[in-house]
Each structure stands twice: as structure tokens, then as C-alpha cells.
Amino acid sequence: MKILYATSEAVPFCKTGGLADVAGSLPSALAAEGAEVAVVLPLYRRVRERFGSQLTFLCYDYVNLGWRHVYCGLFSLEKDGVTWYFLDNEQYFDRPDLYGYMDDGERFGFFSRAVVRMLDHLKFWPDVINCNDWQTALVPIYLKDDGVREERFRSIRTTLTVHNIEYQGRYNPYVLGDLFGLDAGWVEDGTLLMDGDLNLLKGAILCADAVNAVSPTYANELKMAYFAHRMESVMRQCEYKLYGVLNGIDMDRYDPAKDPSIAANFSAEDMAGKDADKAHLQRLMGLREEPHAPVVAIVSRLVSHKGLDLICEVLHDMMKLPMQLVVLGKGDKKYEEFFHWAAQQYPGRMAVRLDYNEELSMAIYAGADLFLMPSKSEPCGLSQMIAMRYGTVPIVRETGGLKDTVHAYEAWRDAGNGFTFANYASNDMLHVIREAVYLYKDYPDAFSRLRKRAMACDFSWARSAGEYLRIYAGVTGQVWPAPEAAPAEETPAAEAASETPAEASVSAEEAPAAAETAAEEARPAEAPAPEPETVPAEEAVKKAAEEAPAVKAEPKKRGRKPGSTNTAKKAAGETKKKGTAPKKK
Ligand code: GLC
């Protein structure tokens, strides 16, 4: 299976948010499962500055977009079994920031057009292009547009991952031809039209072969007006191809036992280092060095959907509890001013840094006791998973990926891996913060068991990569995993995704710490054993049982064009011949 992952940011090259973390980890996890994977992203100034010497220039070509005829250079780099391609155009990408320019539409229109245009020069003709958010939303549109004239474009299937539906790429329909080089029909038939605007994300949701929201709960929420930013009816219309594969985190990078960026290493078996990290954090932030005061942490962009209004409402009540509060983040002025002011009211007990700072964030994940994330909406959320990995117990609102990853503490049966509340109400949040703080102070043994359960959760990418591959298999009609490697039984992606990671953690608790080993073991462990009751005598029955998973592995509800695989293969073969020798002009 050949997959091209198109993204506007990826760790370690360039990052503004969670998309970069996903794009930095998922491709190599897909490659580790046996897929051929390439990633394509813009060659921003910061990529050239930091990675320029490692890049190989392959070729250049010209991209036609509306009336423009624009240069596009192609660079590449090999890393972790994945080929990384960078598309170069200095006019568009040699700028200090990734986004925030008045011509962002034109820049990412160019990027999406160039992804399709440069396919001839890549090492393979992809079976699937996975695009992400509005910046690459035009890729499925251009493929369909080109597919009208050239059959080979019709062989490529597209999937769209929605990381946050709030950002849709909305423009005046007037610019359709001029900026994006598309015919008026795309707006007239409504494909790219939404509330009178040209809407790139809507077009991609309609045209992609599958749409993936980044958690099972978010996939459901997107059908509701409260969460969908006016896209609910489109999402409901596309429900048949909507999936919710939970993101993972890089379990190797975020490993408290090995992480060189934290003051002292620790693990679930030996937590002494965590106390040292806490003392270090308190010194760093100017908090009183009280080992027994629970440190509650917030590491977040300071924007409204992160639920900060709840904290503003009850901050003084929170600070009546025997706890300390650490806040790291920047964003909207009103929140920055509030937290700055509030910290001055509680010297030694509350500390705030209005900054985006990776190093300090790691000191906080390692040193804090509780991690507060009361988001109004949260497609997936990665920081709660990182916090859990570092033994910092999350307190979250039950929305999106927070709901899928954090399960409420239940004292009576000593279960759960964090604290949760359902309603977007400050008193409900205060109630669980109080519960958490007093569990920490009054029942340290119960708290440390809870902490261990949080640390044992399996958020490895291998699990999600398998689910992505099943979606790709569904849209291409290819069998995945290849029949000889097929496990005994697989559930369709959407159903599998709804199995909670906490459930997976049961087996992970006993599994060895090394992420890869755990990942390898997770497959057979997750797959239910073939029914023992089946009559063993019949060879034929057995055989059928072995062959069954290949069929079942394809997500249900997908209509498939007969013969599409053949067409895909043929097209791939033909193009490969054409495309193997990169032009050097
Ligand atoms: C966006 C979402 C976040 C998610 C991330 C990665 O940043 O807001 O919840 O974890 O994308 O998918």
C-alpha cells in the first residue's frame, strides 16, 4: 500500500499545533506496519534554515494555477522509513511564520495544486493521499478535476483527517478561478459553497473517499451543531464514510524513564524522580517548595475553546483548596491579562508563564501532580496523554478525545485513570478538582494507584496506524494486512476505535516498557481468538475462518467500484515508468 501524507506542518520540521505532532509520528508508524509512506509539506524558511543541509534537491517543475505559472522545487529527505518531500517556492514559503498572511488561501492553493502536479516526480504513484485540515483540502478537488481529463488521477483514493473543524478555509466565491484555478461549476453545484462562502474544507469532506475525525467521540460530535461550526449537516450526509481514529503520542519521545529534557527520570516502578521533578518545577516557577501540596497544571493555548472561562469563574475558589497552580501558554489578551493578574494575588502558590516553551512544558508534565484541561471542545488533545505518561493525573471535561482517553476515578472499585466532569459548568469542574486535591492529600495510596493506572495507558501510534490502514484498505479495495499476515479477527475501524485505550492498558500494564514491543504485542492481544467452539475436525471450516478476517477488515458501508484495484495498479505501473527519472532542469 502506497500512501502519500500531505500536511502543512510536521514535527520536527515545523510546528504550530497538534497536527504537527500527528504528522510527525503517524507516517513512520504506518511504515512500521509495512506500508510505503511519503510525506509532503511546504519548504518553509524555518525548515530550510534548520534542515537545509540534510535535504536533497531532486528537480523542479512549474505549477499552473489560474493565470499563474509558478516555480516549484522538490527536495527530499529519508527518515524512519519514510520519504519526506518538501515543495519549494520562496515567494510563498520563505517567510518567518507558517500561517497568518493575507494570501494564505493562495499559498495553500498553490501547495495543494503542487502536491498533485508533482506526483510524477515522487518515488511512487500513491494509492491513497491522506490530506489534513483546510490547507490541503483542495487535493481531493484537484484530483477529481484532473481525473476528468486523465484517467491515472482517478486511481488515487483520498482521505481527509479533520483535526479541528473550526478552521475551514473560507473565501469569497469570486476568487475561485483566480486563486484556485477552478471552474465556476464547483461553486454552482454547491460542492465548495457554504453559507455563501467558498469553503475548502466542505469540498474535501464531500469529495474525499473517507473522512477521519481524530477521536471516536469527536466523529460523533461533528454531527451536532454545538461542535460542528455549521458543518453538521455535511457531516451527517457523509456519516457513511466518517471514522474516528484516536491519535497516539510518540511513546519513545515522551518516556519519563529516558527523557533527557527533564530534571530526573522516573518510571511507574520507581517514582522517586518525580518528587525531584516536582521540587525542580516549584523552584523554576517560584512556587513554595511544598512536597505535599498538589501542583495543578495548565499547559494550553489560551483560547476560549480550551474552557478557560470556567477557570476564570472559579479561580478564587480553586485557590482556597490546599493546592498550587501553574499555567503555561499564550493566546488571547483577555486570558493572558487575567492569569497575569491572578498570579499576583497568590504569590508562591500560583505561577504563570505567558509563553510557548517546549522545555518548560516538559518540566511541568514531569513535575506536576494534576493536569487540568476543561475544554469546551477538544478534537483529540495530546497533552492529556503526555501528562498521563508522566504520571500527572488529568482532570478533563468529557468531550472529544478527552472523553475517549480519560475515564473517571471510581473510589468504590479503585478504577479509572483521571477525573472528569460532563457539563460545561464551573461548579462541576470545581467539584472534581476538589475531589482530586483531597484524594492526593488524604488518600496518597489510592492516588498513587490512580497515577500508575494513568501511566500504564497505551497511547502508542501502532494502534492508530493499524486503524488508518484499515480505512485505506476500505477505500482502495486492497486487502490489509496482506492475507498471510492477517490476524485472526479484526473489527472495522470505527468500532475498533471506540475501544478505549484504558481497556487496552490492561494488557499494557503487564507488557514490557519498550514501546515497540508493546505495540507488536498489542495486535494479537486485541484480536479476539478464533472461537474455540468451532469444530476443529473440518479443515474447510478452519480455512474459511482464516480467510474471513481479510474480508471483515474492510470497513463496512463502503461502496467499491469493481476493478478499481486493477485500474489503480495499472495506473501506478504506467506512471512509475514515466516518473522514475526526476527531471533536472
Ligand atoms: C488539533 C486539535 C487537537 C488534536 C490535534 C491533533 O490541534 O485541536 O485536539 O489533538 O489537532 O489531531
Side-chain angles (χ1 to χ4, degrees):
M1 177 111 53
K2 298 181 178 66
I3 298 146
L4 179 62
Y5 198 82
T7 176
S8 56
E9 52 182 276
V11 164
F13 302 104
C14 43
K15 169 171 172 175
T16 70
L19 164 60
D21 293 304
V22 174
S25 303
L26 174 60
S28 52
L30 293 168
E33 298 285 305
E36 282 182 73
V37 189
V39 186
V40 56
L41 69 159
L43 183 57
Y44 299 108
R45 178 186 294 175
R46 66 180 70 167
V47 180
R48 191 191 296 273
E49 278 170 2
R50 281 190 280 156
F51 296 88
S53 59
Q54 300 169 37
L55 302 182
T56 309
F57 173 74
L58 295 181
C59 66
Y60 71 85
D61 210 332
Y62 284 89
V63 174
N64 293 323
L65 192 57
W67 50 268
R68 289 174 213 82
H69 183 65
V70 188
Y71 168 92
C72 180
L74 180 67
F75 289 76
S76 81
L77 175 158
E78 294 290 329
K79 194 170 146 315
D80 304 330
V82 173
T83 305
W84 290 76
Y85 291 110
F86 297 87
L87 301 187
D88 174 34
N89 178 293
E90 294 191 5
Q91 184 200 338
Y92 290 135
F93 301 125
D94 187 17
R95 305 186 190 186
D97 290 315
L98 271 56
Y99 321 118
Y101 299 99
M102 52 126 15
D103 59 347
D104 279 357
E106 182 177 333
R107 296 169 71 226
F108 290 99
F110 162 78
F111 179 63
S112 302
R113 185 71 257 187
V115 167
V116 178
R117 176 72 186 88
M118 301 301 277
L119 286 174
D120 277 334
H121 305 299
L122 308 188
K123 68 171 184 180
F124 59 60
W125 190 258
D127 299 317
V128 180
I129 302 184
N130 191 139
C131 35
N132 293 278
D133 285 350
W134 75 267
Q135 291 92 338
T136 44
L138 279 171
V139 170
I141 315 287
Y142 288 135
L143 281 174
K144 290 221 183 295
D145 214 50
D146 290 352
V148 173
R149 288 170 290 275
E150 286 182 69
E151 156 135 25
R152 62 204 184 107
F153 290 108
R154 279 178 251 161
S155 74
I156 302 175
R157 294 283 166 266
T158 50
T159 56
L160 168 75
T161 304
V162 179
H163 297 265
N164 193 336
I165 203 141
E166 196 174 338
Y167 309 109
Q168 301 176 356
R170 304 172 80 128
Y171 299 93
N172 191 321
Y174 179 73
V175 303
L176 184 70
D178 205 23
L179 275 197
F180 302 122
L182 290 166
D183 188 86
W186 283 100
V187 160
E188 282 161 10
D189 73 0
T191 309
L192 284 175
L193 191 67
M194 179 93 196
D195 298 335
D197 284 345
L198 167 58
N199 188 314
L200 306 185
L201 194 68
K202 180 192 174 193
I205 292 169
L206 291 178
C207 291
D209 295 290
V211 177
N212 180 47
V214 285
S215 67
T217 299
Y218 193 51
N220 260 327
E221 288 174 344
L222 286 181
K223 291 176 255 167
M224 303 172 203
Y226 182 83
F227 296 98
H229 293 266
R230 304 208 37 85
M231 213 66 106
E232 62 278 7
S233 55
V234 180
M235 297 310 295
R236 282 201 291 265
Q237 183 186 339
C238 295
E239 191 176 4
Y240 70 97
K241 58 173 180 182
L242 178 61
Y243 297 83
V245 179
L246 191 70
N247 289 330
I249 55 169
D250 186 333
M251 299 285 274
D252 266 343
R253 177 177 167 211
Y254 298 115
D255 182 355
K258 292 192 295 200
D259 189 343
S261 75
I262 59 177
N265 291 115
F266 60 93
S267 65
E269 292 72 44
D270 179 7
M271 293 292 287
K274 176 115 185 146
D275 298 335
D277 286 319
K278 178 167 176 176
H280 174 74
L281 175 65
Q282 288 171 320
R283 272 195 303 278
L284 206 62
M285 300 292 285
L287 296 170
R288 281 184 224 140
E289 268 186 63
E290 290 171 355
H292 301 298
V295 175
V296 180
I298 297 168
V299 178
S300 174
R301 271 183 306 129
L302 302 182
V303 292
S304 150
H305 82 260
K306 295 290 177 183
L308 302 172
D309 293 318
L310 299 187
I311 299 171
C312 297
E313 275 173 36
V314 292
L315 185 101
H316 298 297
D317 298 306
M318 279 167 64
M319 294 311 292
K320 281 182 197 145
L321 298 171
M323 56 170 259
Q324 298 182 347
L325 182 64
V326 174
V327 181
L328 170 66
K330 60 179 183 178
D332 293 355
K333 263 251 136 9
K334 70 169 180 179
Y335 298 118
E336 290 195 353
E337 280 169 6
F338 173 80
F339 283 117
H340 178 71
W341 168 83
Q344 292 168 356
Q345 316 302 308
Y346 301 100
R349 292 189 55 224
M350 175 173 175
V352 172
R353 292 278 184 288
L354 301 174
D355 194 9
Y356 172 85
N357 183 330
E358 288 267 342
E359 207 183 314
L360 183 54
S361 72
M362 292 321 297
I364 294 177
Y365 289 125
D369 299 296
L370 293 159
F371 192 81
L372 181 57
M373 213 166 158
S375 304
K376 198 185 278 174
S377 75
E378 193 62 67
C380 177
L382 302 171
S383 26
Q384 83 279 14
M385 299 192 230
I386 303 173
M388 285 155 93
R389 181 98 170 114
Y390 285 79
T392 302
V393 177
I395 304 172
V396 305
R397 194 174 91 79
E398 292 164 21
T399 180
L402 297 176
K403 185 170 177 184
D404 296 321
T405 51
V406 182
H407 306 285
Y409 173 64
E410 290 173 76
W412 65 279
R413 62 181 188 111
D414 206 16
N417 58 10
F419 296 89
T420 75
F421 62 102
N423 292 327
Y424 190 68
S426 52
N427 271 317
D428 291 10
M429 177 185 77
L430 186 62
H431 178 79
V432 288
I433 295 177
R434 189 176 289 130
E435 195 188 342
V437 165
Y438 283 108
L439 187 77
Y440 175 94
K441 288 207 74 80
D442 297 342
Y443 300 92
D445 291 345
F447 189 88
S448 85
R449 285 197 300 277
L450 168 61
R451 177 174 255 169
K452 286 205 167 120
R453 284 196 296 274
M455 291 178 83
C457 288
D458 175 16
F459 297 124
S460 63
W461 267 109
R463 173 191 167 84
S464 315
E467 288 170 17
Y468 267 97
L469 282 162
R470 283 194 285 273
I471 296 178
Y472 300 150
V475 297
T476 55
Q478 293 188 23
V479 173
W480 191 272
E484 64 274 15
E489 240 273 60
E490 290 291 347
T491 44
E495 283 165 33
S498 68
E499 286 170 24
T500 62
E503 282 159 23
S505 75
V506 176
S507 62
E509 257 170 51
E510 296 126 44
E516 280 112 320
T517 331
E520 272 162 31
E521 287 180 5
R523 282 188 150 274
E526 269 174 35
E531 290 164 14
E533 292 84 3
T534 44
V535 191
E538 297 287 324
E539 266 303 304
V541 175
K542 255 197 196 169
K543 246 194 171 166
E546 276 163 22
E547 279 162 22
V551 182
K552 280 195 183 163
E554 295 166 12
K556 59 185 177 186
K557 298 180 191 167
R558 279 279 333 150
R560 195 161 298 103
K561 292 183 195 92
S564 64
T565 321
N566 286 344
T567 324
K569 278 190 186 144
K570 235 193 270 165
E574 279 164 24
T575 332
K576 237 191 167 172
K577 266 176 248 148
K578 281 187 203 161
T580 32
K583 282 185 219 157
K584 291 234 166 150
K585 290 182 197 164

